[in-house]
Amino acid sequence: MIAATEVDESSLRYRGWRVVLACFLMAFFMFGFGLYGQGVYLAELQRAHGWPGTLVSSASTFSFLLSAVLVIFTDDLLVRIGLRALILCGLAALGASTALLGLMQLPWQLYLAYALMSIGWTGMGSVVIATVLNAWFERRRGLALSLAFNGATCGGIILVPVLLALSTSIGFRWAMLAATIVMVALVLPVVVVFTGWPAAASLHAAGPVSSGGNAARHSRRALLAVASFWTMVLPIAIALLAQMGFIIHQVTFLEPLIGRASAGLAVTIMAAMAVIGRLTLGLFVDRLDPRLACAASMMSQAAALLVLLHSQSPIVLLLCCAVYGFSIGNMITFPPLIIQREIGSAAFAAAMGLGTSISGIVSAFGPGIVGLVRSASGDYTIAFAMCVALDVIAAGIVLWRPGKRAEVAARRVD
């Protein structure tokens, strides 16, 4: 998984940038429908069918946990069916899921739709995006990842308001069907034309291969003994747990302090700063130590939350949300950069899949834990203070650099 060293990666003529466009669109629709759109489905399905919120939210939890399990096997699927086929399977599954969300009539269909969405995450999620871009880029890898993953945030900023507006004007069913058609029309030709491995790579870029695919499975077992893997996965998982907890409870916390309209503005500012943060990081991250940059991002979020807890000023609260948002998107940009530098190319897809699975499972409990602490204590002070502590702990762990023995183990995985 080594990009050709003869090409000029900074040139717009380099084919890798067209692959970035394809990945941007994949992230736009996958995160837009699969993550940010969950709030829309909750409201609209309750309104349309009278289903309790616990039914829809439990289906969301089921989807996230199933996605975290399926993503472990991304490297095997890349080897067995190929990159383009895997993406197209993910696109078909996501399209079937979103169409079914608009057409469903019975509760069991909700779980089917969310199971299909989990398959979509496997084919179009962050592991596939990071793996293919790792193959295409070497010197501009950080910028390519930042641009592609900005599609995820743009999906939340653009797709969710569009779904809400369409649901109001033509109804939720037709809104979902129209959005699904647009997704397929945009993503399908771009994937077919642009995606693939660079000439210097092959399907072997997805991971080490041997007869029966045993090498890929062995690499996952070996990764569990590599210190650099755990000092990347654990802090990212901890930071994402705190991040998910804050994001889900942000409006509930801010609304009594600054009102509903300003709380909504805070969410918009945070999302916009996530885009700016990814673009800014992408310009410099290839010249930075990704562990130091990751620790700095975690500490900036801790500082923003700490000030947030001790201020009543609307301007200060909005500024804190802006600072917090600056690092939100980068939490999924750092892992592939650290994996490439410290674990290597041969086990890249396996490490990304396993790490994403662990982080996904851990972070899924963030909103629930923050909610429980808030209920037990009566307000968000202790709950968000816990998030501050988690960010500080995560920053300390990510700065722990493996010794020589760990490096030797990592080379064995490679």
Side-chain angles (χ1 to χ4, degrees), residues 67-411:
S67 300
V69 173
L70 293 179
V71 77
I72 298 175
F73 305 102
T74 302
D75 58 322
D76 294 312
L77 292 170
L78 285 170
V79 171
R80 291 178 185 274
I81 68 174
L83 173 66
R84 188 177 288 116
L86 178 58
I87 296 174
L88 292 177
C89 286
L91 177 61
L94 180 60
S97 172
T98 53
L100 183 56
L101 281 167
L103 297 171
M104 67 175 56
Q105 298 295 325
L106 301 173
W108 68 266
Q109 295 171 336
L110 177 63
Y111 282 85
L112 175 59
Y114 276 29
L116 288 168
M117 192 174 289
S118 298
I119 297 174
W121 278 111
T122 306
M124 293 174 56
S126 57
V127 176
V128 168
I129 291 172
T131 301
V132 68
L133 292 182
N134 184 67
W136 277 98
F137 291 90
E138 183 177 349
R139 294 180 297 278
R140 308 291 288 178
R141 183 176 292 124
L143 177 59
L145 287 167
S146 295
L147 291 173
F149 283 136
N150 254 334
T153 307
C154 290
I157 295 174
I158 298 173
L159 187 57
V160 171
V162 168
L163 285 178
L164 289 172
L166 287 176
S167 296
T168 301
S169 60
I170 62 176
F172 178 65
R173 169 178 295 187
W174 293 108
M176 294 301 295
L177 293 177
T180 300
I181 292 172
V182 171
M183 175 184 69
V184 174
L186 289 176
V187 177
L188 180 59
V190 172
V191 168
V192 171
V193 176
F194 293 156
T195 59
W197 301 117
S202 67
L203 286 179
H204 296 274
V209 184
S210 65
S211 59
N214 292 328
R217 285 188 288 272
H218 172 74
S219 69
R220 283 195 292 269
R221 291 196 301 269
L223 281 168
L224 298 177
V226 177
S228 59
F229 174 77
W230 285 110
T231 58
M232 179 273 297
V233 170
L234 283 180
I236 292 295
I238 293 170
L240 286 176
L241 183 149
Q243 185 169 285
M244 288 291 287
F246 172 70
I247 291 173
I248 298 301
H249 291 270
Q250 179 187 12
V251 172
T252 307
F253 170 77
L254 290 175
E255 189 174 350
L257 298 174
I258 58 178
R260 175 181 285 270
S262 295
L265 176 62
V267 175
T268 302
I269 291 174
M270 188 174 68
M273 287 300 294
V275 174
I276 295 172
R278 272 208 184 99
L279 290 174
T280 304
L281 179 73
L283 294 174
F284 302 102
V285 71
D286 292 305
R287 288 171 277 175
L288 301 175
D289 181 331
R291 285 186 178 267
L292 284 175
C294 186
S297 293
M298 293 170 179
M299 291 302 296
S300 72
Q301 289 190 333
L305 276 182
L306 194 61
V307 175
L308 195 80
L309 285 172
H310 292 86
S311 177
Q312 298 285 325
S313 168
I315 294 177
V316 173
L317 293 174
L318 291 176
L319 285 174
C320 287
C321 291
V323 173
Y324 194 92
F326 190 81
S327 296
I328 281 180
N330 295 329
M331 289 303 161
I332 61 173
T333 303
F334 290 122
L337 298 176
I338 297 172
I339 288 171
Q340 174 60 31
R341 288 195 184 191
E342 301 183 10
I343 295 178
S345 297
F348 183 90
M352 275 297 301
L354 188 57
T356 301
S357 175
I358 294 171
S359 298
I361 292 172
V362 172
S363 62
F365 292 97
I369 292 174
V370 169
L372 286 174
V373 174
R374 191 263 182 192
S375 297
S377 61
D379 58 34
Y380 280 106
T381 302
I382 296 178
F384 285 170
M386 176 192 68
C387 292
V388 172
L390 289 173
D391 279 326
V392 173
I393 292 170
I397 297 174
V398 82
L399 289 176
W400 175 36
R401 300 178 183 276
K404 293 183 179 180
R405 293 175 64 182
E407 292 173 2
V408 170
R411 285 195 293 270

Side-chain angles (χ1 to χ4, degrees), residues 37-47 51-54 56-57 114:
Q38 300 270 357
V40 178
Y41 313 149
L42 176 63
E44 294 297 332
L45 291 174
Q46 282 185 284
R47 184 179 298 112
W51 294 341
T54 52
V56 184
S57 59
Y114 276 29

